[in-house]
Amino acid sequence: MDKDSAVLQGGFLLANKLSAPATLSTLQKGDWPRVQQPILQAVGELFQQEEEGRTIHWRKKLVCVLWCKLLCRETGEDVETGWKENPLFPVQNSLPEVNHVVLLELVKSTAAAEIFGQLLLCLPQAQICTELGRLAQHVSCSPTSEDDVCLFLDVWRELWNGRDERKAGREDDLEKMFAHQFARLSFQPSPAQSASLSPQAAKRFKLDTSDLCPSSPSVPSPPTDALYILLHALRDIKDHISTSDFCLRALSISLDALYTSFFIDRAVALPTEQKLHFLSQVMSIRERNDGTWSPELLQEAQRDLRASYSPSQFQPSRTMLAQALKIITELTQFWQNRGLLKMCDSNPSYSEFKLEQSVHRVLKALDGADVPQTVGEMDVSNIKTILRGVQESLAFPAGESSPEVKARVAMAIINHRLEDYQDFAVLFAAEQSWAAMDALWTDCLERNRAAFQQHKTLIKLACTLMGKCRSATADASQCIKQMKIIADIFSALPLQDKNKTLAAMLRLSRKGFFGGSVPSAMANRFGQELNMAFNCIIQGGGGASAAVSHGNLGTAVSLVARVAFQNPEATLRFCCQSAIFNKGAFSLLAKILQHLPGLREREPKHKAESRGEEKEAKQNTDEGRDASSGRSLLCDCLQETIRAKSLSSNEEEQFLRFVGLLMTPVVDVEGMERKQSLLSPQEVVRAFVLPHLSTTSSGPVSIELSLQLLHGALCLDPPASSPHWVLGCSPFPLLYILVLLLNQAPRCWEQPPEGAVHHLSMETKELLVSVLTTLGRVVGGEVASAPGGWTRPLFWLYNKVEQLDWTVRFHLKPVWGEHFKNEVPSSLLAVCDLPEQEWSGLELSQYSQGTGLLAWMECCSISDSLQSTMLSRLSLDQSRPDHVNMFSKGLLVALAQTLPWCLVSQWSRLLRALRELLVSGQLYVPYSLEYAEYLPLLDLRAFSCELRLSVLLLRVLQLLCGSSCADWLPAEGWAHVGRLYAHAVRETLDSLRAKVPLPSPGASTVSPKGSAPEAGARTVPSQEVLFVLSQLFCHVQHIQVMMPAGPCEPLFLSSLELLRHYGSVAAAFPDSSTQLEMDNTRHFFSTITDNLENPEMKAALQQKIAQLTSVAA
């Protein structure tokens, strides 16, 4: 036994002696004064040795010990079981036997009514009613004093106030232990009954009233209706309530019990402002009357308020509304007649204020439509009259609490994390008048940052600070400090909440805290933070090859989010500038922005949320219109960046890639399945494409860049739902602009017309055709899905392009599908068998008789589908050699006319068509051995297409370079012809590589020693490949020498590539040629190369030829 237990045991043993000849187990209420001193002295000694928190613990432990000892006696628990299962057994067993009088009197004497109520709530409801019955009989037994009344009212109040805390699981260890012991002992049979009860039988102990009031007649079993017990007990002790304070408390508690038991079935959610109003009044009254202000008093007021609007857990089973009203009105009239229901002075007490609130709630409930005019035998109007009389007798001015008091209450709730502190934080953040108290407001923010870490609370704080900083009397230093604290709070948010806050801030103001006139020191300080943030990011991981770790990326995202919260526009502008003008930084900055989707203004907004935020925006910023205009801030910042400074080619590339990444959909960082992009393709096209598609435009975005942006937007994954986003970009005018641009563009190498600002390069024209094809396919798909709804725009587009070149209009074929016939020169109909239902002829001056093959060649170059039609509809009788011969000659001339004007993609289609004609035998190209002294004994049938195509191109170039056509093309035209011919050589070389792939390194291709080279069938035609390569090389050199504009670099590079591949094949297949044959080849190549005029090209080729010979050796 420890010292504390010994002191307690001594006090109880001495009291037990003083009670002689009786004992503490039979003590009557009137005998308590005779034995109380040693017990209270021992308890007081224990309390003096402990701190305040431990004192409450010891008081609760003492009540638990006595209560459990009583239960053990009633259930007859044996010592062996108690020693094993009861944690309080050592203290409990050291005390003499006691009864309920000792327990209740000790609770009363030690002011432990609240503890008693808390422990009471740990019991089942039926057992609570049993214990309330004991309490009611105890306080009503003579002698009844004001202390008994106080005990009764305090327990009642705790039962009603503490129930929600128990539901929330806020019991301490002692309460849990007490509940467990009570549950264990309540179902344990007494020893006398053990013999007659089965092991599964249980016995609940009954209320024993012999130790409470011996003079009372036999008492029936107690009701299981707490309200019934309490109201009747209050009526029994009404004569002993002789002070106004007790009278006011009793009536207030009974009215609250009535209201929560009969008039509400769920908790009433009060607005935070209403709670603050109530709490401010309570604290003002208490401070004025008692001179006290503490968090404990505030917490008590919160509990009273919550309990007043929460349904009672003790639902009446025996008491009817009429009975309850009758008892309360009787008590009211009784105390009114005794003059106890009047204000003592002009300053109301807390009890008076509470009663006034209780009466107001009940009167409001009785005025409700659901309450009949009569309740039982009582007239509701009479009840109202009585209660209004009480209300009038308590009438006192309901003065509005000052802003200082309200702010003080809200700060106390937030500082001490009292109930609803986060709701009060929202209210605190939004109250402009409180922010004027700089020191207190700043201190509360600084000490309670976690309480404000809600995105809605942060926006309220931001609005309040915005309004404060724009006032003429704003203190710059305080504003800077407060903005830093708010930014720190924002930085502590998880990423999901950061994005919600950023989105809300954008709806308020694009410039954040700086949307209006703010102190210059505040703007300067933010500028420094912005520079520092981006310097850290760019220097720490902005290089093109920098590998940014997940942690570093998270830090960068946090830095950008922090400054973006303070000023979204300045941050995004800085971000765009850094991405475009800092080499390689665009990738990292795009990743950062992809983690911050809150910086994108989305539509539609959540209506309920946006209405409140827009209202705040109008009050706190002059930029609310920007947030609702539908324009993207990020898009505006990009426009401003490229408008402020002309971009170099490298900066244009960075801009293009940056925008491409921002348009790319990414998985939502909030974990949702849907995908989103920071920049929508639609807004990019509207901002950077539509205004700049003109050869006379001098804006910051060139035609090339506009087309690249449009191409990137169209190449993104199409939306899952219809309609396509491109329908929001005026698709038919856009199509017309593109075909008009294609029609007006110079043909490949021609000089632009006078007045044109931009010159379209070959690559740009290729891109233009690609964009036009893709856009036509997208729009055509939408038209096909609902053809009836597009008639007018289709006819508009058709009429607009009617005057354009006939080849250009074919690019719109995917758009209008079968709505209109295909229009071609009439001469084409002479060489193609085209159905009249789908095709019609045009009389064009430049396509006179005999130009049908020229038109046919142009059609083959426009698109794959049109080429397929031309090949299948070609009118050629292959059974007549003269027709084939005439067609081949005409095609040669048409090809010579078409070649100089082709794009690379068009030329590739023409080469494919030529191969089809060669393979099918429709095109006759005789092969001559002008670059071979003798016909080798080789099977060249597998390579006949490559050889004949090379000869055909040679004949075309011979025709173009002849004296009749040499002056036809300028130097730029000849350079373009050289590029196209080099492209054809590369395609032929790729075909050869596909037919005869080189063996993998290490694989042996040498014949076994002693075996004949011709032994067995050769599976690899390496000799044939070498022959074809030698012919191609000679053709290229021939054309290089013929070119009127001099040597052509693309042809020189093609020659080097042919020699390199020749050497690779010869090295991979050594048996393909002898040393003598290789020497002859070297001599032959050198002789042809000597004809070149450019000495540098000649020397490089001769060196390559010499290396070729040594490799073969």
Coordinates of all heavy atoms in Angstrom, one line a residue, residues 779-812:
V779 N -12.3 17.8 -89.4 CA -13.6 18.5 -89.7 C -14.5 17.6 -90.6 O -15.7 17.5 -90.4 CB -13.3 19.8 -90.5 CG1 -14.6 20.5 -90.9 CG2 -12.5 20.7 -89.6
G780 N -13.9 16.8 -91.5 CA -14.7 15.9 -92.3 C -15.4 14.8 -91.4 O -16.5 14.4 -91.7
G781 N -14.7 14.3 -90.4 CA -15.3 13.4 -89.5 C -16.5 14.0 -88.8 O -17.5 13.3 -88.6
E782 N -16.4 15.2 -88.3 CA -17.5 15.9 -87.7 C -18.7 16.1 -88.7 O -19.9 15.9 -88.3 CB -17.1 17.2 -87.1 CG -16.1 17.1 -86.0 CD -16.6 16.5 -84.7 OE1 -17.9 16.6 -84.5 OE2 -15.9 15.8 -84.0
V783 N -18.4 16.4 -89.9 CA -19.4 16.6 -90.9 C -20.1 15.3 -91.2 O -21.3 15.2 -91.4 CB -18.8 17.2 -92.2 CG1 -19.8 17.2 -93.3 CG2 -18.3 18.7 -91.9
A784 N -19.3 14.3 -91.3 CA -19.9 12.9 -91.7 C -20.8 12.4 -90.6 O -21.8 11.7 -90.8 CB -18.8 11.9 -91.9
S785 N -20.5 12.8 -89.3 CA -21.4 12.4 -88.2 C -22.7 13.0 -88.2 O -23.7 12.5 -87.6 CB -20.7 12.6 -86.9 OG -20.5 14.0 -86.7
A786 N -22.9 14.2 -88.8 CA -24.1 14.9 -88.9 C -24.2 15.7 -90.2 O -24.1 17.0 -90.1 CB -24.3 15.8 -87.7
P787 N -24.3 15.1 -91.3 CA -24.2 15.8 -92.6 C -25.2 16.8 -92.8 O -25.0 17.8 -93.5 CB -24.3 14.6 -93.6 CG -24.9 13.5 -92.9 CD -24.5 13.6 -91.5
G788 N -26.4 16.6 -92.3 CA -27.5 17.6 -92.5 C -27.3 19.0 -91.9 O -27.8 19.9 -92.3
G789 N -26.4 19.0 -90.9 CA -26.2 20.3 -90.2 C -25.1 21.1 -90.7 O -24.9 22.2 -90.1
W790 N -24.5 20.7 -91.8 CA -23.3 21.4 -92.2 C -23.4 21.9 -93.7 O -22.5 22.3 -94.3 CB -22.0 20.5 -92.2 CG -21.7 20.1 -90.8 CD1 -22.1 18.9 -90.2 CD2 -21.0 20.8 -89.8 NE1 -21.7 18.9 -88.9 CE2 -21.0 20.0 -88.6 CE3 -20.4 22.1 -89.7 CZ2 -20.4 20.4 -87.4 CZ3 -19.8 22.5 -88.6 CH2 -19.8 21.7 -87.4
T791 N -24.6 21.9 -94.2 CA -24.8 22.3 -95.6 C -24.4 23.7 -95.9 O -23.6 23.9 -96.9 CB -26.3 22.1 -96.0 OG1 -26.7 20.8 -95.6 CG2 -26.5 22.4 -97.4
R792 N -24.8 24.7 -95.1 CA -24.4 26.1 -95.4 C -22.9 26.3 -95.3 O -22.4 26.9 -96.2 CB -25.2 27.0 -94.4 CG -26.7 27.1 -94.7 CD -27.4 28.1 -93.8 NE -26.9 29.4 -94.1 CZ -27.3 30.5 -93.4 NH1 -28.1 30.4 -92.4 NH2 -26.8 31.7 -93.7
P793 N -22.2 25.9 -94.2 CA -20.8 26.1 -94.2 C -20.1 25.4 -95.3 O -19.0 25.9 -95.8 CB -20.4 25.6 -92.8 CG -21.5 24.9 -92.3 CD -22.7 25.4 -92.9
L794 N -20.5 24.2 -95.8 CA -19.9 23.5 -96.8 C -20.0 24.3 -98.2 O -19.0 24.4 -98.9 CB -20.5 22.1 -97.0 CG -20.1 21.1 -95.9 CD1 -20.9 19.8 -96.1 CD2 -18.6 20.8 -96.0
F795 N -21.2 24.8 -98.4 CA -21.4 25.6 -99.7 C -20.6 26.9 -99.6 O -20.0 27.3 -100.6 CB -22.9 25.9 -99.9 CG -23.6 24.8 -100.7 CD1 -24.2 23.8 -100.0 CD2 -23.5 24.8 -102.0 CE1 -24.9 22.7 -100.7 CE2 -24.1 23.8 -102.8 CZ -24.8 22.8 -102.1
W796 N -20.5 27.5 -98.4 CA -19.7 28.7 -98.2 C -18.3 28.4 -98.6 O -17.6 29.2 -99.3 CB -19.8 29.2 -96.8 CG -19.0 30.4 -96.5 CD1 -19.3 31.7 -96.7 CD2 -17.6 30.4 -96.0 NE1 -18.2 32.5 -96.4 CE2 -17.2 31.7 -95.9 CE3 -16.8 29.3 -95.6 CZ2 -15.9 32.0 -95.4 CZ3 -15.5 29.7 -95.1 CH2 -15.1 31.0 -95.1
L797 N -17.7 27.3 -98.0 CA -16.3 27.0 -98.3 C -16.1 26.7 -99.8 O -15.1 27.1 -100.4 CB -15.9 25.8 -97.4 CG -14.5 25.4 -97.5 CD1 -13.5 26.5 -97.1 CD2 -14.2 24.1 -96.6
Y798 N -17.0 25.9 -100.4 CA -16.9 25.5 -101.8 C -16.9 26.8 -102.7 O -16.0 26.9 -103.6 CB -18.0 24.6 -102.2 CG -17.9 24.1 -103.6 CD1 -17.0 23.1 -103.9 CD2 -18.7 24.7 -104.6 CE1 -17.0 22.6 -105.3 CE2 -18.6 24.3 -105.9 CZ -17.7 23.2 -106.2 OH -17.7 22.8 -107.5
N799 N -17.8 27.7 -102.4 CA -17.8 28.9 -103.2 C -16.6 29.8 -103.0 O -16.1 30.4 -104.0 CB -19.0 29.7 -102.9 CG -20.3 29.0 -103.3 OD1 -20.3 28.2 -104.2 ND2 -21.4 29.3 -102.6
K800 N -16.0 29.8 -101.8 CA -14.8 30.6 -101.5 C -13.6 30.1 -102.3 O -12.7 30.9 -102.7 CB -14.5 30.7 -100.0 CG -15.6 31.4 -99.2 CD -15.6 32.9 -99.5 CE -14.4 33.6 -98.9 NZ -14.5 35.1 -99.1
V801 N -13.5 28.8 -102.4 CA -12.3 28.2 -103.0 C -12.4 27.9 -104.5 O -11.5 27.3 -105.1 CB -11.8 26.9 -102.3 CG1 -11.6 27.1 -100.8 CG2 -12.9 25.8 -102.5
E802 N -13.6 28.3 -105.1 CA -13.8 28.0 -106.5 C -12.8 28.7 -107.4 O -12.5 28.1 -108.5 CB -15.2 28.4 -106.8 CG -15.8 27.7 -108.1 CD -17.3 28.0 -108.2 OE1 -17.8 28.8 -107.5 OE2 -17.9 27.3 -109.1
Q803 N -12.3 29.8 -107.0 CA -11.4 30.5 -107.8 C -9.9 30.1 -107.6 O -9.0 30.7 -108.3 CB -11.5 32.1 -107.6 CG -12.9 32.6 -107.8 CD -13.5 32.3 -109.2 OE1 -12.7 32.4 -110.2 NE2 -14.7 31.9 -109.3
L804 N -9.7 29.2 -106.7 CA -8.3 28.8 -106.4 C -7.9 27.7 -107.4 O -8.7 27.2 -108.1 CB -8.2 28.3 -105.0 CG -8.7 29.3 -103.9 CD1 -8.4 28.7 -102.5 CD2 -7.9 30.7 -104.0
D805 N -6.6 27.4 -107.3 CA -6.0 26.4 -108.2 C -6.7 25.1 -107.9 O -7.0 24.7 -106.8 CB -4.5 26.3 -107.9 CG -3.8 25.3 -108.9 OD1 -3.6 25.7 -110.0 OD2 -3.6 24.1 -108.5
W806 N -6.9 24.3 -109.0 CA -7.7 23.1 -108.9 C -7.0 22.0 -108.0 O -7.7 21.2 -107.3 CB -8.0 22.5 -110.3 CG -6.8 22.0 -111.0 CD1 -5.9 22.7 -111.8 CD2 -6.3 20.6 -111.0 NE1 -4.9 21.9 -112.2 CE2 -5.1 20.6 -111.8 CE3 -6.7 19.5 -110.4 CZ2 -4.4 19.5 -112.0 CZ3 -5.9 18.3 -110.6 CH2 -4.8 18.3 -111.4
T807 N -5.7 22.1 -108.0 CA -5.0 21.1 -107.1 C -5.2 21.4 -105.6 O -5.2 20.5 -104.8 CB -3.5 21.1 -107.5 OG1 -3.0 22.4 -107.3 CG2 -3.3 20.7 -108.9
V808 N -5.3 22.7 -105.3 CA -5.5 23.1 -103.9 C -6.8 22.6 -103.4 O -6.9 22.1 -102.2 CB -5.3 24.6 -103.8 CG1 -5.7 25.0 -102.3 CG2 -3.9 25.0 -104.1
R809 N -7.8 22.6 -104.2 CA -9.1 22.2 -103.7 C -9.2 20.7 -103.4 O -10.1 20.3 -102.6 CB -10.2 22.5 -104.8 CG -10.5 24.0 -104.8 CD -11.5 24.3 -105.9 NE -10.9 24.6 -107.2 CZ -11.5 24.6 -108.4 NH1 -12.8 24.4 -108.4 NH2 -10.8 24.9 -109.5
F810 N -8.3 19.9 -103.9 CA -8.4 18.5 -103.6 C -8.0 18.2 -102.1 O -8.3 17.2 -101.6 CB -7.4 17.7 -104.5 CG -8.1 17.2 -105.7 CD1 -7.9 17.8 -106.9 CD2 -8.9 16.0 -105.6 CE1 -8.6 17.3 -108.1 CE2 -9.5 15.5 -106.8 CZ -9.4 16.2 -108.0
H811 N -7.3 19.2 -101.5 CA -7.0 19.0 -100.1 C -8.2 19.1 -99.2 O -8.2 18.7 -98.0 CB -6.0 20.1 -99.6 CG -4.6 19.9 -100.2 ND1 -3.8 18.9 -99.8 CD2 -4.0 20.5 -101.2 CE1 -2.6 18.9 -100.5 NE2 -2.7 19.9 -101.4
L812 N -9.3 19.7 -99.7 CA -10.6 19.8 -98.9 C -11.5 18.6 -99.2 O -12.6 18.6 -98.7 CB -11.2 21.1 -99.3 CG -10.4 22.4 -98.9 CD1 -11.2 23.6 -99.4 CD2 -10.2 22.4 -97.4

